[in-house]
Amino acid sequence: MIFFTIIFLLAVFNLTVFFVFKKFLYKKPDEGMKFLVINISKDLIWLVISLIMLEKTKTNFLFIVISFIIGSLLIYIPIIKLINKS
């Protein structure tokens, strides 16, 4: 159940950042840098919440790392495509 919650939080945070980017930052000056600031802040918040929820074991750490990598790819790829279009 905790793993599902962590994945759910990652998905919600990524979707929120994506919609904030599309609504407020897309086609504005320095859109990429502003996205990075928001995304890094989101990643830090997600990481702290995840570490608080999970026990400190190697398996759980590996789960967090893999989730982070997959979640990052899922948000960076569409954002980079949007930035390259503009």
Side-chain angles (χ1 to χ4, degrees), residues 29-76:
D30 295 327
E31 62 189 6
M33 294 304 288
K34 291 175 184 174
F35 163 73
L36 286 175
V37 168
I38 292 171
N39 197 50
I40 289 172
S41 302
K42 179 261 313 174
D43 288 337
L44 288 174
I45 292 168
W46 176 79
L47 181 63
V48 168
I49 292 170
S50 298
L51 289 174
I52 289 171
M53 292 174 64
L54 287 175
E55 295 178 27
K56 308 322 183 258
T57 64
K58 288 181 184 180
T59 306
N60 291 342
F61 180 75
L62 184 62
F63 170 75
I64 288 175
V65 169
I66 291 171
S67 300
F68 175 77
I69 291 169
I70 292 171
S72 294
L73 286 174
L74 290 175
I75 194 165
Y76 278 109

Side-chain angles (χ1 to χ4, degrees), residues 10-28:
L10 183 62
V12 168
F13 287 168
N14 278 346
L15 286 172
T16 303
V17 169
F18 181 77
F19 288 122
V20 166
F21 175 79
K22 285 275 290 197
K23 185 164 179 106
F24 299 108
L25 301 176
Y26 186 52
K27 295 188 178 180
K28 302 278 190 322

